[in-house]
Structures are given as C-alpha cells and as structure tokens.
C-alpha cells in the first residue's frame, strides 16, 4: 500500500515523486515505457520563463518561480543522485526578422523590464557583437533575456527519478496503468498490466496520454499531443553562447560542442517517426541563422509529443468527482521549465497545504473540459 501512486515517469511525474518523497510520503511511479523516454527526453531543455511566457500571462508567476528553483535544485540533485543536470545561465536571444517583429519585441522588453525582469533590446550591431557567428545582417535586432537558462532535459528527468528513489520512492517501468480503483468516490489504487496496486492518492502525470486514461473516469480532459521533431549536431568551434530562438527554429548550444536544433509542431499527432520535410525545414532555417552550421557533424534526430491544452494552461488539481485522484498534465512547451514548481505545488495540494492563489490556473471541472 502506497501513500501516492504517480502515473507517468516523465519530468512532471518524477518531480512530484521527488517533492513528495522529500516530505516522507511513500511513493510509487508507474511508467508504461522507461523513465523519461517521451516528451521529457525529447526536450531541448530551455528554461524560457521570459521567452515563452509573457509578463501578463497567468503562467508568468509560476514560470519565474520555477526558473528560480533550478540553481538550488541542481545542487540538491547532484548530491542525491550524482547527476549533473547541466544548468547553464547563458540566456536566450529571440530574433526579430522584420521591423514589425522588432516593434513587438521592444514592447515585450519594456513590459518585462517594468515587471522587474532583466531584458535587453539588442540592435543589429549589438547582436553582431554578442554572437558574431549569427547572420545578423538579415535581422532587425533581438530581445536578450539573460536569466532564461537551460538544462539537459533527459538528465533532469533521470536525476529527479534517482533522487526520489534515494529518498525512498519506488519506480515500476514497463507497466501500464489501465484504470483507477475507487470506493465511494474515493481513489483506492490502480489496475495495471501486471496487477492492482493500492494507494491513498493517485496523480495522473501521463503527459499527452493523460486524456485517454482520464476518460475512464468520465472526465474529458482537453489535453492533446503536439508532435515535435528535433535533431542534434556537433561542431568543433564555439558557435554561440546563448540559445538562439527564432519563429520556426531554435538552436541550443549544449556541453561538448553539441547543438540541439528544433522543433517542428504538428498538432494531434502521436506518430513518432521523423519526417524529412520537418528536418529539411529545420536544417534550412538553422543554416540561415548560423551559416557555419553547414559544416556541423550529424548526431541524431528524434520526436516527442508535447502535452497541449485548449487554452494553453496546464491542469494541476483534483478530479471533480473522485477524492484523492489528482491531475498534473498539459505543460506543452514548458514542462522542463515548470517541473520544479509543479512538483512542489502538487505536493502542497496532496498535503492539504494552502496554495498561493496566483498558482490556481484552472480547476478541473466537466464544464471547462467539454471535448
Ligand atoms: C521537441 C520538444 C522540445 C521541447 N523543448 C522544451 C524546452 O526547451 N523547454 C521546456 O520547458 N519544455 C520543452 N518541451 C516540453 C516538455 O518536454 C514537456 O512539457 C514535458 O516533458 C512534459 O512532461 P510530462 O511528464 O508531462 O510528459 P512526458 O514526458 O510525455 O511523460 C509522460 C509519461 O507518462 C507515461 N504514461 C502515459 N500514460 C501512461 C499509463 N497509462 N501508464 C503508465 N505510464 C503512462 C508515458 O509513457 C510518459 O513517459 C519540449 C517538448 C518537445 C516534444
């Protein structure tokens, strides 16, 4: 008998497991594949609190708090698991290709500065100086966000899982949760491909697959997959310092001369093949941004499925009809960034602690999730 079963061994499930284990809950993570093989293993690892989330978005406070949790978390995970999550604070540069985009990004810089963020508008000349390998002549300038760092997403997921285990959690891989067990509208456990397992609480953190599982409880959660393709290359030279973000293509410099280039977006697709048209457009755009990338050495390509919701906000809350059944899903393009705060917030919910009202994004209800 567990205190909490978590369905899904992605970054969200493992972050919740880690936070609950720190609070002495006996936790089991159940994963149908292996830990971190789905969206969490596919992510580029950018912590785009400013780049991805506007200062006026309901996600803003959550995103900025989560980004601030990374430095101490990286230390904690290193000492518990021995894994370095490769946290790098080298900022994100968002390019403006036209005067219209430049105007919008200058306004975004003003809004971010007014809300206390460090954000700097770079003219074409300043951009050239900052990133000399960038084809800046075709740009109208850029927004530089120095505190939007990055991590290795695969290692973050692994480090959270190993640390949770070190603190007493169990992990069951290659096991699919098929249904929930309930008694008088209260969760009692789950039915899996290898038998039933009992628990006081259950959290569905199944990423893009959460909708299918929750259908069994008559909850039509509007989480749907958005397929993304990425690839990675190596280059002997130091081509850039910051991550470069442009509509339709980003380039993220990793350790050891590796670069991740992404990502396509195909809604409602759970296909996991890599298609040449997607790769072709990414390669073309990436070389258009940094021409020296044409001499990079190929490593590999992959896909992942981002869990998106209709209004773009993740679900974090309790099932409207079943006490003790929780949901943490729908983090779309920002699950790596939001993993620390999601883990801590879900642990607060399950513990019954009062939760900061600015974090109540959307409550789960049949009314709001009419598929
Ligand atoms: C190409 C790409 C690039 C990205 N880049 C970034 C980025 O730079 N920064 C960022 O913050 N985010 C990024 N993201 C988004 C981020 O990866 C996701 O938001 C995050 O990984 C979601 O985590 P998750 O744990 O909810 O989902 P997942 O990682 O998909 O994990 C869900 C897990 O649940 C398991 N599961 C589902 N159903 C069941 C069941 N019934 N029984 C047992 N197990 C089950 C699945 O097998 C899966 O392992 C990117 C995503 C993609 C695809």
């Amino acid at each position: 008998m567990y205190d909490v079963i978590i369905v899904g061994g992605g970054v969200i499930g493992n972050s919740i497991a880690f936070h609950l284990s720190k609070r002495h809950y006996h936790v089991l993570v159940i994963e149908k594949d292996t830990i971190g093989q789905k969206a969490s293993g596919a992510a580029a690892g950018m912590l785009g609190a400013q780049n991805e989330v506007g200062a006026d978005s309901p996600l803003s406070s959550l995103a900025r708090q989560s980004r601030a949790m990374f430095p101490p978390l990286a230390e904690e995970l290193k000492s518990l698991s021995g894994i370095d999550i490769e946290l790098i604070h080298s900022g994100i540069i968002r390019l403006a290709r036209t005067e219209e985009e430049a105007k919008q990004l200058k306004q975004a810089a003003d809004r971010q500065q007014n809300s206390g963020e460090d954000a700097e508008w770079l003219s074409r000349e300043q951009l050239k100086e900052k990133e000399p390998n960038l084809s800046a002549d075709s740009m109208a300038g850029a927004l530089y966000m120095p505190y939007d760092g990055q991590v290795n997403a695969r290692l973050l997921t692994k480090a959270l899982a190993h640390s949770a285990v070190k603190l007493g959690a169990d992990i069951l891989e290659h096991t699919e949760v098929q249904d929930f067990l309930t008694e008088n509208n209260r969760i009692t456990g789950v039915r899996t491909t290898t038998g039933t397992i009992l628990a006081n609480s259950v959290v569905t953190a199944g990423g893009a697959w959460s909708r299918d599982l929750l259908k069994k409880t008559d909850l039509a959660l509007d989480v749907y997959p958005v397929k993304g393709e990425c690839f990675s290359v190596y280059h002997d030279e130091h081509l850039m310092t910051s991550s470069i973000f442009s509509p339709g293509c980003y380039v993220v410099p990793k350790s050891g001369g590796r670069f991740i280039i992404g990502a396509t977006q195909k809604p409602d697709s759970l296909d996991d093949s890599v298609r040449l048209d997607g790769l072709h457009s990414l390669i073309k755009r990436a070389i258009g941004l940094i021409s020296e990338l044409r001499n990079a050495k190929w490593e590999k390509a992959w896909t992942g499925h981002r869990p998106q919701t209709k209004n773009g906000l993740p679900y974090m809350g309790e099932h409207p009809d079943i006490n003790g059944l929780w949901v943490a899903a729908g983090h779309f393009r920002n699950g790596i960034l939001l993993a620390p705060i999601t883990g801590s917030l879900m642990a607060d919910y399950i513990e019954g602690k009062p939760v900061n009202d600015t974090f109540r994004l959307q409550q789960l209800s049949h009314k709001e999730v009419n598929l």
Side-chain angles (χ1 to χ4, degrees):
M1 172 91 177
Y2 285 90
D3 295 326
V4 185
I5 286 174
I6 294 164
V7 186
V11 75
I12 298 299
N14 282 302
S15 182
I16 300 167
F18 169 67
H19 281 275
L20 283 170
S21 300
K22 274 177 71 171
R23 301 181 195 190
H24 309 293
Y25 282 77
H26 191 209
V27 176
L28 171 68
V29 177
I30 305 180
E31 167 55 52
K32 65 180 173 178
D33 194 306
T34 54
I35 292 297
Q37 287 303 306
K38 302 297 184 187
S40 305
M46 284 177 287
L47 307 179
Q50 288 167 245
N51 183 45
E52 288 277 343
V53 185
D56 45 358
S57 159
L59 263 183
S60 167
S61 144
L62 211 61
R64 283 149 178 78
Q65 290 235 11
S66 203
R67 183 183 59 183
M69 290 168 80
F70 272 92
L73 178 67
E75 299 278 316
E76 201 177 357
L77 295 179
K78 181 82 198 289
S79 81
L80 275 167
S81 69
I83 298 171
D84 176 2
I85 64 168
E86 298 176 2
L87 174 65
I88 302 172
H89 296 284
S90 50
I92 296 181
I93 291 179
R94 190 182 188 108
L95 302 172
R97 297 162 304 176
T98 60
E99 286 308 324
E100 182 51 36
E101 282 180 10
K103 193 173 141 201
Q104 284 167 11
L105 289 187
K106 278 179 192 163
Q107 286 167 355
D110 287 344
R111 278 197 302 275
Q112 291 186 12
Q113 284 161 0
N114 290 340
S115 64
E117 299 285 347
D118 207 339
E120 194 184 335
W121 170 255
L122 300 178
S123 67
R124 190 180 293 131
E125 284 62 40
Q126 288 169 318
L127 184 58
K128 272 186 196 166
E129 211 172 295
K130 185 148 190 49
E131 296 289 357
N133 287 307
L134 201 63
S135 307
D137 283 335
S138 56
M139 303 296 160
L143 174 58
Y144 173 48
M145 294 150 285
Y147 291 112
D148 274 357
Q150 53 141 316
V151 293
N152 181 316
R154 190 181 56 78
L155 292 180
L156 170 66
T157 309
K158 198 170 156 189
L160 286 165
H162 282 226
S163 300
V165 168
K166 198 80 184 263
L167 294 167
D170 292 328
I171 291 180
L172 191 56
E173 294 182 316
H174 305 295
T175 303
E176 184 170 350
V177 172
Q178 297 175 313
D179 208 347
F180 301 102
L181 306 176
T182 58
E183 232 176 81
N184 302 327
N185 299 330
R186 160 111 228 140
I187 198 85
T188 56
V190 294
R191 184 166 60 76
T192 78
T193 39
T194 55
T196 61
I197 309 175
L198 302 181
N200 290 324
S201 302
V202 172
V203 184
T204 301
W209 295 266
S210 303
R211 175 174 63 182
D212 293 347
L213 191 55
L214 285 160
K215 256 187 207 157
K216 314 245 175 190
T217 67
D218 291 333
L219 184 69
L221 198 74
D222 69 350
V223 175
Y224 61 93
V226 177
K227 176 184 169 183
E229 292 151 308
C230 282
F231 68 95
S232 56
V233 294
Y234 284 98
H235 198 290
D236 296 336
E237 287 171 34
H238 176 86
L239 292 184
M240 74 199 76
T241 302
S242 300
S243 300
I244 306 294
F245 189 98
S246 164
C249 180
Y250 53 72
V251 185
V252 185
K254 296 290 178 181
S255 61
R258 185 168 178 254
F259 298 85
I260 291 185
I261 294 157
T264 58
Q265 295 210 73
K266 189 167 179 209
D268 279 318
S269 171
L270 275 174
D271 165 36
D272 52 18
S273 63
V274 179
R275 303 291 171 115
L276 281 194
D277 66 342
L279 279 190
H280 176 251
S281 98
L282 289 176
I283 292 171
K284 213 170 124 198
R285 285 169 198 249
I287 291 175
L289 294 178
I290 300 141
S291 65
E292 184 49 34
L293 274 175
R294 71 179 66 245
N295 292 315
K297 293 181 205 104
W298 180 259
E299 190 198 20
K300 59 181 177 181
W302 62 90
T303 56
H305 301 93
R306 309 167 184 93
Q308 171 64 310
T309 62
K310 275 194 183 146
N311 68 2
L313 300 176
Y315 282 101
M316 295 188 248
E318 196 170 21
H319 193 287
D321 304 325
I322 304 174
N323 292 333
L325 176 56
W326 299 85
V327 179
H331 293 70
F332 191 41
R333 289 157 53 126
N334 293 302
I336 304 303
L337 165 69
L338 295 171
I341 195 79
T342 301
S344 156
L345 189 58
M346 291 305 298
D348 284 349
Y349 276 134
I350 290 166
E351 229 181 344
K353 269 192 175 175
V355 168
N356 183 340
D357 261 355
T358 57
F359 291 167
R360 290 189 188 276
L361 298 172
Q362 54 184 342
Q363 298 292 323
L364 288 160
S365 77
H366 297 290
K367 179 168 58 69
E368 285 170 2
V369 290
N370 50 343
L371 262 192

PDB file of all heavy atoms in Angstrom, residues 21 59 65 79 83 120-121 133 144 163 202 205 269 278-279 282 348 366 369:
ATOM      1  N   SER A  21       8.541  12.616  -1.851  1.00  0.00           N
ATOM      2  CA  SER A  21       9.490  11.762  -1.109  1.00  0.00           C
ATOM      3  C   SER A  21      10.261  12.590  -0.085  1.00  0.00           C
ATOM      4  O   SER A  21      10.534  12.127   1.032  1.00  0.00           O
ATOM      5  CB  SER A  21      10.474  11.084  -2.064  1.00  0.00           C
ATOM      6  OG  SER A  21       9.768  10.296  -2.979  1.00  0.00           O
ATOM      7  N   LEU A  59       0.473  32.246 -16.475  1.00  0.00           N
ATOM      8  CA  LEU A  59       1.572  31.322 -16.131  1.00  0.00           C
ATOM      9  C   LEU A  59       2.828  32.044 -15.638  1.00  0.00           C
ATOM     10  O   LEU A  59       3.764  31.412 -15.169  1.00  0.00           O
ATOM     11  CB  LEU A  59       1.985  30.546 -17.379  1.00  0.00           C
ATOM     12  CG  LEU A  59       1.433  29.150 -17.612  1.00  0.00           C
ATOM     13  CD1 LEU A  59       2.043  28.558 -18.872  1.00  0.00           C
ATOM     14  CD2 LEU A  59       1.737  28.254 -16.428  1.00  0.00           C
ATOM     15  N   GLN A  65       8.950  31.653 -10.857  1.00  0.00           N
ATOM     16  CA  GLN A  65       9.302  30.960  -9.603  1.00  0.00           C
ATOM     17  C   GLN A  65      10.016  29.653  -9.905  1.00  0.00           C
ATOM     18  O   GLN A  65      10.952  29.272  -9.210  1.00  0.00           O
ATOM     19  CB  GLN A  65       8.029  30.648  -8.824  1.00  0.00           C
ATOM     20  CG  GLN A  65       7.379  31.870  -8.265  1.00  0.00           C
ATOM     21  CD  GLN A  65       7.173  31.745  -6.769  1.00  0.00           C
ATOM     22  OE1 GLN A  65       7.689  30.840  -6.126  1.00  0.00           O
ATOM     23  NE2 GLN A  65       6.415  32.662  -6.212  1.00  0.00           N
ATOM     24  N   SER A  79      23.862  16.170  -5.357  1.00  0.00           N
ATOM     25  CA  SER A  79      24.345  15.492  -4.151  1.00  0.00           C
ATOM     26  C   SER A  79      23.535  14.218  -3.869  1.00  0.00           C
ATOM     27  O   SER A  79      24.069  13.253  -3.351  1.00  0.00           O
ATOM     28  CB  SER A  79      24.377  16.443  -2.955  1.00  0.00           C
ATOM     29  OG  SER A  79      23.113  16.553  -2.409  1.00  0.00           O
ATOM     30  N   ILE A  83      24.044  13.111 -10.400  1.00  0.00           N
ATOM     31  CA  ILE A  83      23.839  13.531 -11.793  1.00  0.00           C
ATOM     32  C   ILE A  83      23.873  15.054 -11.898  1.00  0.00           C
ATOM     33  O   ILE A  83      23.176  15.755 -11.150  1.00  0.00           O
ATOM     34  CB  ILE A  83      22.488  12.991 -12.334  1.00  0.00           C
ATOM     35  CG1 ILE A  83      22.502  11.457 -12.326  1.00  0.00           C
ATOM     36  CG2 ILE A  83      22.210  13.523 -13.753  1.00  0.00           C
ATOM     37  CD1 ILE A  83      21.166  10.820 -12.628  1.00  0.00           C
ATOM     38  N   GLU A 120      16.883  42.883 -22.437  1.00  0.00           N
ATOM     39  CA  GLU A 120      17.639  43.933 -23.131  1.00  0.00           C
ATOM     40  C   GLU A 120      17.356  43.863 -24.628  1.00  0.00           C
ATOM     41  O   GLU A 120      17.430  42.777 -25.225  1.00  0.00           O
ATOM     42  CB  GLU A 120      19.134  43.648 -22.877  1.00  0.00           C
ATOM     43  CG  GLU A 120      20.054  44.767 -23.227  1.00  0.00           C
ATOM     44  CD  GLU A 120      21.524  44.334 -23.029  1.00  0.00           C
ATOM     45  OE1 GLU A 120      21.783  43.422 -22.219  1.00  0.00           O
ATOM     46  OE2 GLU A 120      22.379  44.903 -23.717  1.00  0.00           O
ATOM     47  N   TRP A 121      17.012  45.002 -25.227  1.00  0.00           N
ATOM     48  CA  TRP A 121      16.853  45.057 -26.677  1.00  0.00           C
ATOM     49  C   TRP A 121      18.232  45.229 -27.306  1.00  0.00           C
ATOM     50  O   TRP A 121      19.000  46.101 -26.892  1.00  0.00           O
ATOM     51  CB  TRP A 121      15.925  46.206 -27.088  1.00  0.00           C
ATOM     52  CG  TRP A 121      15.958  46.402 -28.571  1.00  0.00           C
ATOM     53  CD1 TRP A 121      16.575  47.384 -29.270  1.00  0.00           C
ATOM     54  CD2 TRP A 121      15.381  45.522 -29.549  1.00  0.00           C
ATOM     55  NE1 TRP A 121      16.428  47.186 -30.615  1.00  0.00           N
ATOM     56  CE2 TRP A 121      15.692  46.040 -30.820  1.00  0.00           C
ATOM     57  CE3 TRP A 121      14.637  44.342 -29.470  1.00  0.00           C
ATOM     58  CZ2 TRP A 121      15.284  45.438 -32.004  1.00  0.00           C
ATOM     59  CZ3 TRP A 121      14.228  43.728 -30.647  1.00  0.00           C
ATOM     60  CH2 TRP A 121      14.546  44.278 -31.895  1.00  0.00           C
ATOM     61  N   ASN A 133      28.839  34.795 -34.885  1.00  0.00           N
ATOM     62  CA  ASN A 133      28.572  33.785 -35.924  1.00  0.00           C
ATOM     63  C   ASN A 133      27.150  33.825 -36.467  1.00  0.00           C
ATOM     64  O   ASN A 133      26.812  33.105 -37.398  1.00  0.00           O
ATOM     65  CB  ASN A 133      28.860  32.382 -35.391  1.00  0.00           C
ATOM     66  CG  ASN A 133      30.342  32.150 -35.268  1.00  0.00           C
ATOM     67  OD1 ASN A 133      31.087  32.351 -36.235  1.00  0.00           O
ATOM     68  ND2 ASN A 133      30.790  31.802 -34.082  1.00  0.00           N
ATOM     69  N   TYR A 144      17.197  40.065 -25.731  1.00  0.00           N
ATOM     70  CA  TYR A 144      18.114  39.200 -24.968  1.00  0.00           C
ATOM     71  C   TYR A 144      17.581  39.061 -23.545  1.00  0.00           C
ATOM     72  O   TYR A 144      17.355  40.059 -22.855  1.00  0.00           O
ATOM     73  CB  TYR A 144      19.509  39.832 -24.964  1.00  0.00           C
ATOM     74  CG  TYR A 144      20.519  39.134 -24.089  1.00  0.00           C
ATOM     75  CD1 TYR A 144      20.685  37.755 -24.145  1.00  0.00           C
ATOM     76  CD2 TYR A 144      21.327  39.865 -23.217  1.00  0.00           C
ATOM     77  CE1 TYR A 144      21.620  37.114 -23.346  1.00  0.00           C
ATOM     78  CE2 TYR A 144      22.270  39.236 -22.420  1.00  0.00           C
ATOM     79  CZ  TYR A 144      22.405  37.855 -22.490  1.00  0.00           C
ATOM     80  OH  TYR A 144      23.326  37.233 -21.697  1.00  0.00           O
ATOM     81  N   SER A 163      16.888  10.627  -7.493  1.00  0.00           N
ATOM     82  CA  SER A 163      16.844  11.276  -6.175  1.00  0.00           C
ATOM     83  C   SER A 163      15.604  10.832  -5.406  1.00  0.00           C
ATOM     84  O   SER A 163      15.674  10.611  -4.191  1.00  0.00           O
ATOM     85  CB  SER A 163      16.852  12.801  -6.337  1.00  0.00           C
ATOM     86  OG  SER A 163      18.022  13.196  -7.001  1.00  0.00           O
ATOM     87  N   VAL A 202      -3.675   9.136  -5.996  1.00  0.00           N
ATOM     88  CA  VAL A 202      -3.087   8.819  -7.299  1.00  0.00           C
ATOM     89  C   VAL A 202      -2.975  10.119  -8.083  1.00  0.00           C
ATOM     90  O   VAL A 202      -3.897  10.942  -8.067  1.00  0.00           O
ATOM     91  CB  VAL A 202      -3.968   7.803  -8.080  1.00  0.00           C
ATOM     92  CG1 VAL A 202      -3.446   7.626  -9.513  1.00  0.00           C
ATOM     93  CG2 VAL A 202      -4.007   6.454  -7.364  1.00  0.00           C
ATOM     94  N   ALA A 205       0.024  11.883 -14.294  1.00  0.00           N
ATOM     95  CA  ALA A 205       1.023  12.771 -14.918  1.00  0.00           C
ATOM     96  C   ALA A 205       1.476  12.099 -16.209  1.00  0.00           C
ATOM     97  O   ALA A 205       2.659  11.903 -16.445  1.00  0.00           O
ATOM     98  CB  ALA A 205       2.195  12.995 -13.961  1.00  0.00           C
ATOM     99  N   SER A 269      -0.994  14.675 -33.349  1.00  0.00           N
ATOM    100  CA  SER A 269      -0.299  13.530 -33.932  1.00  0.00           C
ATOM    101  C   SER A 269       0.505  12.796 -32.874  1.00  0.00           C
ATOM    102  O   SER A 269       1.340  13.386 -32.199  1.00  0.00           O
ATOM    103  CB  SER A 269       0.633  13.993 -35.047  1.00  0.00           C
ATOM    104  OG  SER A 269       1.438  12.910 -35.452  1.00  0.00           O
ATOM    105  N   GLY A 278      10.063  17.867 -42.252  1.00  0.00           N
ATOM    106  CA  GLY A 278      10.300  18.593 -40.996  1.00  0.00           C
ATOM    107  C   GLY A 278      11.780  18.891 -40.812  1.00  0.00           C
ATOM    108  O   GLY A 278      12.184  20.027 -40.534  1.00  0.00           O
ATOM    109  N   LEU A 279      12.612  17.856 -41.000  1.00  0.00           N
ATOM    110  CA  LEU A 279      14.064  18.039 -40.828  1.00  0.00           C
ATOM    111  C   LEU A 279      14.619  19.033 -41.840  1.00  0.00           C
ATOM    112  O   LEU A 279      15.437  19.885 -41.506  1.00  0.00           O
ATOM    113  CB  LEU A 279      14.786  16.706 -41.043  1.00  0.00           C
ATOM    114  CG  LEU A 279      14.809  15.739 -39.879  1.00  0.00           C
ATOM    115  CD1 LEU A 279      15.761  14.605 -40.174  1.00  0.00           C
ATOM    116  CD2 LEU A 279      15.225  16.453 -38.599  1.00  0.00           C
ATOM    117  N   LEU A 282      13.926  22.546 -40.804  1.00  0.00           N
ATOM    118  CA  LEU A 282      14.751  22.956 -39.652  1.00  0.00           C
ATOM    119  C   LEU A 282      16.202  23.205 -40.076  1.00  0.00           C
ATOM    120  O   LEU A 282      16.827  24.185 -39.654  1.00  0.00           O
ATOM    121  CB  LEU A 282      14.722  21.881 -38.559  1.00  0.00           C
ATOM    122  CG  LEU A 282      13.425  21.703 -37.772  1.00  0.00           C
ATOM    123  CD1 LEU A 282      13.557  20.533 -36.811  1.00  0.00           C
ATOM    124  CD2 LEU A 282      13.072  22.976 -37.000  1.00  0.00           C
ATOM    125  N   ASP A 348       2.128  20.218  -2.257  1.00  0.00           N
ATOM    126  CA  ASP A 348       1.334  21.078  -1.355  1.00  0.00           C
ATOM    127  C   ASP A 348      -0.143  20.684  -1.403  1.00  0.00           C
ATOM    128  O   ASP A 348      -0.803  20.567  -0.370  1.00  0.00           O
ATOM    129  CB  ASP A 348       1.438  22.556  -1.771  1.00  0.00           C
ATOM    130  CG  ASP A 348       2.770  23.181  -1.383  1.00  0.00           C
ATOM    131  OD1 ASP A 348       3.525  22.555  -0.626  1.00  0.00           O
ATOM    132  OD2 ASP A 348       3.048  24.304  -1.855  1.00  0.00           O
ATOM    133  N   HIS A 366     -16.047  19.415 -15.279  1.00  0.00           N
ATOM    134  CA  HIS A 366     -16.645  18.920 -16.527  1.00  0.00           C
ATOM    135  C   HIS A 366     -17.006  20.099 -17.427  1.00  0.00           C
ATOM    136  O   HIS A 366     -16.944  20.027 -18.627  1.00  0.00           O
ATOM    137  CB  HIS A 366     -17.896  18.101 -16.236  1.00  0.00           C
ATOM    138  CG  HIS A 366     -17.585  16.884 -15.437  1.00  0.00           C
ATOM    139  ND1 HIS A 366     -16.892  15.828 -15.953  1.00  0.00           N
ATOM    140  CD2 HIS A 366     -17.838  16.568 -14.156  1.00  0.00           C
ATOM    141  CE1 HIS A 366     -16.748  14.906 -15.028  1.00  0.00           C
ATOM    142  NE2 HIS A 366     -17.304  15.332 -13.923  1.00  0.00           N
ATOM    143  N   VAL A 369     -14.001  21.370 -19.489  1.00  0.00           N
ATOM    144  CA  VAL A 369     -13.275  20.425 -20.340  1.00  0.00           C
ATOM    145  C   VAL A 369     -14.233  19.671 -21.251  1.00  0.00           C
ATOM    146  O   VAL A 369     -14.228  18.475 -21.329  1.00  0.00           O
ATOM    147  CB  VAL A 369     -12.421  19.451 -19.489  1.00  0.00           C
ATOM    148  CG1 VAL A 369     -11.267  20.160 -18.859  1.00  0.00           C
ATOM    149  CG2 VAL A 369     -13.259  18.778 -18.431  1.00  0.00           C
TER     150      VAL A 369
END
